[in-house]
Every structure is written in C-alpha cells, then in structure tokens.
Amino acid sequence: MIAAILTLGIIGLLAAVILYFVSQKFKVVEDPKIDEIEEVLPGANCGGCGFAGCRALAESIVKTGSSKGKVCTAGGSAVNAKVAEIMGEAVTESEPRKVVLRCNGSCENAPAKFHYDSASTCAYANMLTAGESGCAFGCLGYGDCTNACKFDAIRLDKATGLPVIDPDKCVCCGACTKACPRQLLEIRTIRDGQLIWVACKNQDKGAEAKKNCATACIGCKKCEKNCEAGAITVTNNVAYIDETKCTACGKCAEGCPTKAIHSLIPVSSETKAEA
C-alpha cells in the first residue's frame, strides 16, 4: 500500500516537473497593450474592421505596431482615438461615412406585377425570381439586411418596402452590405457634409428599366456630360459616381431626368420642387 502511494507520488511529481518545464519552454508572452486595446473596444465583434473580433483586431494592431488602416467602425472616432493614444500615435479624425441604398424601387415607383409566395429571404428570392416589380437589380424587400444588423440600425419601411438606415445607430460595420444578395447597400464617405450617389443599379436598357421602375437610371449619360469633375461614368446602362472625385456640385442630380441621383445636400430649389 505504502509502495503504491510512493510510486504514484513520484510519478505525479515527475509529471509536474515535466509540465512546468514544457510550459516555460512554450509559453507565449503577450504584450499588455493587447488587453488595454481590447478593453477600450466596444466588444461588438461585428467584423466591420475586417478581423474576426475585437481581440483579433487588438492583436493585429499591437503585433504590427500601428493602428494605421485598422479602424473600429463600431466604436467610431472616440474609440479609435483611444487606441491611437495607447499605441503612442497621433490622433487623426476620420471622415464620417454613411450606408446608402442604391435602389429607389419603392412600392409606388416599382409596382408589383405578381405576388411572390415562397421563403421570405432576399438570398432565396434572388435565386428564384427577378422580384415582384420585375427588376432583376432592385431591392427584394425581405429584410436580410435588417436581420444581419447587430445594432438595430435598419428597418423595413412598410409604405415603401425599402430598408431605412438610422444614421444615429449605424456604425458602418458592413454586415448589411454583405447580406444583400444584390449588393444594393454601399458605404460611402461624407466629405464636408456632402454626399451624392446613384440610387439605382439597373443594367437594363432605358425603356426596359423605366417599365419596371419610374426612377430607374436609364443610362442617358446626361450626368456624365454635366460632371465637370469627371466623377461619373456610365457602364452597362447605369451611372456610378466616384466619391473620391465628386465635388458635390449637384449638377448631375439637377439634370437627371428620372431623379435617380440622390444627395445629402439641397441641389436646387427647382429640383426640390420637382422631387
């Protein structure tokens, strides 16, 4: 009995010694800054920064020695400023961004031609049908974007059938943009309080596009010709505005015959009256 106890004790002691030396040999010493940065991050783990979670972002910042290019979208400027402070970097203000909907196919503008009766998800409906309005490029209105948003920043408007983004809750994490099977949600930068975008992605020719939606881009190239900054290009019958070149002069929106171009700024009193 005593021999058995001694034997087990010796084996246990040897195992403990071996484990100690192994743990010392292979232990990983983490920079305490990782914990500091993780502490100031919001813990949303939304993936908007491009990393698997807040811990992964903190580790990347510390291991590379810089927070440059690594932005916490959920935390905003205040959190990013704290991260920069921990890393001993100069605090720089980032330009505000906004999620915009590149579709204006509301129930009024794009009336339903039939009733879809199947699984109520945009991803599934996109595989089966062009959509109740007949537009194969427009919003399907089943709320995949609202379900993907962890911040309750998107709701479906019952009157229009389109998603509405709450700018006070939206952190531009990008979850909704990934969830939309037609890539109709886009994150764009607001410069000096100004932002202009084309609220349409319809690639059909003008007559066909207008048949399905009254406010569709018809690829007439009027906006492209009116843009003195060269910020607009029309490809596959639909216009796109390059935000890095756009000066937000509003001439494109003023001349758009279908009012497919939207903006955060008043373009003219005449345009407002017509809208």
Side-chain angles (χ1 to χ4, degrees):
M1 184 72 177
I2 296 174
I5 294 173
L6 286 173
T7 302
L8 288 174
I10 293 169
I11 292 172
L13 181 62
L14 287 172
V17 171
I18 292 169
L19 286 173
Y20 172 78
F21 284 108
V22 169
S23 66
Q24 292 299 307
K25 174 84 174 170
F26 295 102
K27 74 176 179 180
V28 177
V29 179
E30 284 194 332
D31 193 315
K33 284 183 180 178
I34 294 175
D35 290 328
E36 288 182 55
I37 292 174
E38 186 183 18
E39 186 67 28
V40 301
L41 293 175
N45 295 313
C46 59
C49 58
F51 293 88
C54 294
R55 181 74 181 184
L57 172 61
E59 288 175 349
S60 178
I61 291 172
V62 174
K63 286 175 182 177
T64 57
S66 173
S67 63
K68 187 177 181 181
K70 302 178 183 72
V71 178
C72 174
T73 54
S77 299
V79 167
N80 291 310
K82 289 179 182 177
V83 171
E85 189 178 335
I86 292 170
M87 294 301 295
E89 300 171 340
V91 178
T92 55
E93 283 290 327
S94 57
E95 291 181 296
R97 300 190 299 168
K98 176 180 172 65
V99 175
V100 300
L101 176 65
R102 294 200 58 204
C103 177
N104 197 33
S106 63
C107 299
E108 181 181 356
N109 294 331
K113 296 179 175 64
F114 68 94
H115 176 64
Y116 169 80
D117 186 15
S118 189
S120 298
T121 71
C122 298
Y124 194 75
N126 184 53
M127 293 188 290
L128 296 181
T129 176
E132 293 186 356
S133 68
C135 177
F137 304 91
C139 178
L140 291 158
Y142 296 109
D144 285 22
C145 54
T146 63
N147 294 331
C149 183
K150 295 181 179 180
F151 302 93
D152 193 30
I154 308 179
R155 64 175 177 84
L156 281 178
D157 189 318
K158 292 182 180 179
T160 64
L162 297 174
V164 177
I165 297 101
D166 184 339
D168 295 327
K169 293 181 179 179
C170 179
V171 299
C172 292
C173 68
C176 59
T177 66
K178 295 171 186 173
C180 179
R182 295 185 173 179
Q183 289 79 56
L184 293 173
L185 291 157
E186 182 179 344
I187 299 174
R188 294 178 72 89
T189 302
I190 302 171
R191 291 187 170 87
D192 300 321
Q194 302 171 337
L195 175 62
I196 296 180
W197 71 97
V198 180
C200 182
K201 291 189 74 175
N202 195 325
Q203 296 179 17
D204 292 330
K205 289 185 178 179
E208 182 67 22
K210 279 277 286 182
K211 186 170 72 174
N212 292 323
C213 180
T215 59
C217 174
I218 55 176
C220 65
K221 296 194 175 185
K222 251 184 149 181
C223 54
E224 188 178 63
K225 293 171 185 173
N226 290 341
C227 183
E228 297 175 358
I232 305 179
T233 53
V234 177
T235 308
N236 295 327
N237 304 310
V238 65
Y240 184 77
I241 300 173
D242 185 342
E243 64 177 8
T244 63
K245 297 178 181 178
C246 179
T247 60
C249 66
K251 290 181 180 178
C252 57
E254 290 176 8
C256 180
T258 62
K259 307 303 176 196
I261 299 177
H262 292 192
S263 75
L264 287 181
I265 59 171
V267 289
S268 75
S269 55
E270 183 181 347
T271 304
K272 276 184 172 182
E274 293 174 359

